[in-house]
Amino acid sequence: MIPDPETVRDVVSAVLLLGGAVFCLLGGVGLLRFPDTVSLLHAAAKAQTAGLLLILTGTALHVPLPYALMLALVALFQLITVPVTGQVVGRTAYRTGAIDRDGLVLDELGDRLARDRTSTADQGPGAAVDPDTDR
């Protein structure tokens, strides 16, 4: 017996929607449970993005093509903005001391900031550092 294509689509869509909901729920639990900013960023970025992409895919299976393309644009926007936002929040947390630096395996930003301070000191007391670019 061959299953009806409409039934297959409904089952795949339901699995994607439920999987996306589980990822979003796990991201929310991570936001409540993780101790520091770096872990919170991980939970907020990866789990929420995966959940949203699964939900958008499951939804796209049930809407006409023009709406599915709009959902693809939403997914693309999410994939572009989440890393940028995470980078900005992470740098802000680092500069304000909200990160446990002893727990970091590799501290590339700290090394870079120390190098920049050294090179700025070599240039003299009037050398300015741009806080947005760390230069």
Side-chain angles (χ1 to χ4, degrees):
M1 182 170 137
I2 298 174
D4 181 27
E6 191 76 20
T7 304
V8 171
R9 185 177 73 173
D10 289 344
V11 169
V12 170
S13 178
V15 168
L16 290 172
L17 290 172
L18 287 173
V22 168
F23 269 102
C24 289
L25 177 66
L26 292 176
V29 170
L31 287 176
L32 293 174
R33 301 279 305 180
F34 288 158
D36 63 343
T37 306
V38 175
S39 302
L40 293 174
L41 285 173
H42 188 73
K46 299 199 184 300
Q48 294 296 325
T49 300
L52 178 67
L53 292 178
L54 289 174
I55 289 172
L56 291 174
T57 304
T59 304
L61 293 176
H62 276 281
V63 297
L65 184 61
Y67 297 116
L69 293 176
M70 293 299 288
L71 294 175
L73 287 176
V74 170
L76 181 65
F77 184 75
Q78 177 77 10
L79 289 173
I80 291 172
T81 59
V82 165
V84 174
T85 305
Q87 180 77 6
V88 171
V89 171
R91 280 180 172 257
T92 302
Y94 189 91
R95 289 176 178 267
T96 59
I99 291 178
D100 179 20
R101 295 181 186 187
D102 295 334
L104 296 177
V105 175
L106 181 63
D107 189 4
E108 292 177 346
L109 183 58
D111 295 342
R112 182 176 163 196
L113 291 175
R115 265 195 327 265
D116 290 345
R117 280 189 211 109
T118 303
S119 66
T120 303
D122 292 342
Q123 294 174 359
V129 175
D130 184 3
D132 292 333
T133 61
D134 299 330
R135 294 181 187 157

